[in-house]
Amino acid sequence: MSERSSSSRTVRLCLIGMMAAVACVSNYISIPFFASRFHVGNAVCVLCGLLLGPVAGFFAAGVGNGLFDIVGGYGLEFIITFINKGAIALVTGLVAYKTASKSKLVRSDYVRIVLGSVLGALTYTALYLIKSFIQLRFVRGLSFEDTISVDGVTISGIWTTMATKGIASLTNAVFAFVVAPILFSALHPALRHLGLYEKG
């Protein structure tokens, strides 16, 4: 292995670690939004997929957000977070890179960059709503005939809760697939010069 190749690999590993740290910290930048919250975390996950590719992006986004859950005391839910948040970067990276068997992204790939960002962000919205429904409907052992309140949510109010969670998650998704490609374009020249766009 040449010295330049070894240096590029080291820089790439540092970038993966840095993006994991940014993904973790980004969760602290949030605003309560009804039954959910608005935050910049999903945009960082999309950016992980664009900068690092599907595999490395998946681990950076998953580890960073999973670490946030561990530190925040969310228990074993960090496993679900690892998968769901990692999926954002995975789908983004697969569409942006793999659909054209590309190892590097250039400005002319903008359509795939945006499409990957949209699909990646919306993938999380779908996974988040599925997880929320399972938690509300099954994990808590309620049936649709129950009218008792669990954590402030009655069974008859599940769909209302799902709707507010959906609105918040879609808002986060739109923010993610609008902002992440812009950030990627801003970072693109310097990071490409360092040779960081091998497939993940």
Side-chain angles (χ1 to χ4, degrees), residues 6-198:
S6 177
S7 176
S8 294
R9 181 167 297 183
T10 299
V11 172
R12 180 173 171 77
L13 287 173
C14 289
L15 180 61
I16 293 172
M18 182 190 74
M19 290 306 299
V22 172
C24 178
V25 173
S26 66
N27 284 280
Y28 290 100
I29 306 173
S30 66
I31 301 172
F33 191 91
F34 294 102
S36 188
R37 62 194 176 99
F38 172 77
H39 58 82
V40 301
N42 290 2
V44 174
C45 292
V46 171
L47 187 60
C48 285
L50 294 177
L51 289 176
L52 304 172
V55 177
F58 172 86
F59 282 103
V63 169
N65 285 278
L67 182 60
F68 172 80
D69 274 12
I70 293 173
V71 173
Y74 291 96
L76 290 177
E77 190 162 340
F78 82 89
I79 298 173
I80 298 174
T81 298
F82 173 81
I83 295 171
N84 288 357
K85 293 290 189 174
I88 300 175
L90 179 66
V91 172
T92 299
L94 285 173
V95 174
Y97 289 88
K98 300 287 186 178
T99 53
S101 298
K102 303 246 334 184
S103 60
K104 299 179 185 295
L105 294 177
V106 295
R107 293 185 186 279
S108 60
D109 296 322
Y110 194 74
V111 171
R112 275 201 319 281
I113 290 171
V114 172
L115 180 60
S117 300
V118 171
L119 293 178
L122 291 180
T123 293
Y124 176 76
T125 295
L127 292 173
Y128 172 71
L129 290 178
I130 291 171
K131 181 198 79 168
S132 297
F133 180 79
I134 291 173
Q135 287 178 328
L136 288 168
R137 175 66 180 85
F138 299 106
V139 174
R140 293 171 181 171
L142 297 176
S143 69
F144 282 109
E145 289 73 35
D146 292 327
T147 57
I148 60 174
S149 175
V150 178
D151 293 340
V153 179
T154 60
I155 195 67
S156 60
I158 280 183
W159 299 114
T160 301
T161 303
M162 290 291 294
T164 57
K165 284 178 176 288
I167 292 171
S169 189
L170 283 173
T171 301
N172 287 327
V174 172
F175 179 82
F177 64 66
V178 169
V179 172
I182 295 174
L183 291 175
F184 175 78
S185 296
L187 295 171
H188 179 274
L191 295 180
R192 187 181 180 193
H193 179 71
L194 295 175
L196 297 172
Y197 291 119
E198 294 84 1

